[in-house]
Amino acid sequence: MWLFGETGVYVYSPDGRQQKNHIPGESICDSKEDFEGPSYMYCRFNDIVSDGKKYVWAALNRGKPTIDVFDIDTGSVVGSFDTCHGPRNLEYHALRDEVWVRCQDIDVNSTIQTNLDVISATNPAGDVQTNILMKDRALSEGLSSSGHSVIHNTLGDVGYLTDSELPYVFKVDLSTKEIIDKVELSPPSHAVNEAVYSPMNKHMFMRAEMCCTCGFDGADLGESCGRSPGYMVNPTTGPFA
């Protein structure tokens, strides 16, 4: 059993009674004084996966875009390996023995310009270049792409990506590492964010994002826009579409 948090990584026996290892947070994360983001994001582990054989992989929110790899038996740190900017979502592909990293940010000065990176599970230090951008203007404007990935060995040689600002599901060839198709949702929605996949029936389940009107009498949400003042949108459903 593994626990991840600001105080570090704790490794316990399967029944949780014996602590086998503890890696302090300060030995994994950057100095808290040097962290530039909001305090609640410091040393935040965004996602964890394991190959079930040798390693545990962690996407950590910190100053540099890297993936941390731990030994599955001892909990020791194997190393930190470069990846795309803002790693959020990890998927392990058992047949290809690869870890796929869904990133949300673009650093125009980075050498890795992609929203989806891949790392060999047998050779984490190996460099496998990808070039998958969810938005056409990402390189020129540094546009972020928040969303999820769906990658599983039962899907064969393809994977799927979502973007919280685009109404499509993107189909990716895992061999050529390119977007080969995009599917528009029906009925239409503003965007797609969260997505999960069931290998039992080979269905994807996605949470669509809808735009609502607010701030005036008769609006979808009434005269209140909640905690935020609202912003200009183009509703695709409802009476104001």
Side-chain angles (χ1 to χ4, degrees), residues 40 214-215 221 223-231:
Y40 70 90
C214 67
L221 300 180
E223 297 185 8
S224 173
C225 291
R227 292 179 295 177
S228 63
Y231 55 92

Side-chain angles (χ1 to χ4, degrees), residues 209-236:
E209 295 195 354
M210 313 300 293
C211 290
C212 302
T213 56
C214 67
F216 59 90
D217 185 29
D220 296 325
L221 300 180
E223 297 185 8
S224 173
C225 291
R227 292 179 295 177
S228 63
Y231 55 92
M232 298 297 294
V233 297
N234 292 318
T236 56

Side-chain angles (χ1 to χ4, degrees), residues 11-156:
V11 184
Y12 292 89
S13 59
D15 60 9
R17 296 181 179 181
Q18 179 185 1
Q19 180 178 310
K20 301 175 64 176
N21 199 1
H22 171 226
I23 302 132
E26 55 268 20
S27 66
I28 305 173
C29 306
D30 296 332
S31 169
K32 196 167 187 177
E33 289 72 22
D34 297 333
F35 184 70
E36 297 180 353
S39 58
Y40 70 90
M41 292 294 290
Y42 172 72
C43 205
R44 178 170 178 172
F45 290 87
N46 296 320
D47 202 5
I48 313 292
V49 296
S50 173
D51 58 15
K53 299 177 293 185
K54 294 179 63 177
Y55 301 126
V56 174
W57 307 71
L60 179 62
N61 188 51
R62 59 181 175 192
K64 50 189 177 182
T66 57
I67 297 297
D68 291 288
V69 182
F70 304 87
D71 184 277
I72 196 172
D73 295 317
T74 66
S76 301
V77 178
V78 176
S80 297
F81 302 94
D82 292 338
T83 188
C84 44
H85 208 67
R88 301 288 297 179
N89 180 210
L90 300 178
E91 302 275 2
Y92 174 67
H93 195 296
L95 296 182
R96 298 176 62 94
D97 207 19
E98 295 172 335
V99 175
W100 289 81
V101 187
R102 174 68 166 91
C103 293
Q104 68 176 14
D105 298 325
I106 286 292
D107 181 357
V108 295
N109 298 315
S110 173
T111 58
I112 304 178
Q113 299 291 0
T114 184
N115 291 132
L116 186 67
D117 195 18
V118 58
I119 301 174
S120 169
T122 56
N123 181 24
D127 185 17
V128 183
Q129 186 64 46
T130 57
N131 184 25
I132 300 171
L133 295 173
M134 309 299 291
K135 296 183 173 69
D136 295 334
R137 296 176 291 124
L139 287 182
S140 60
E141 300 182 29
L143 298 178
S144 64
S145 174
S146 177
H148 285 250
S149 61
V150 173
I151 295 171
H152 195 274
N153 57 278
T154 60
L155 291 172

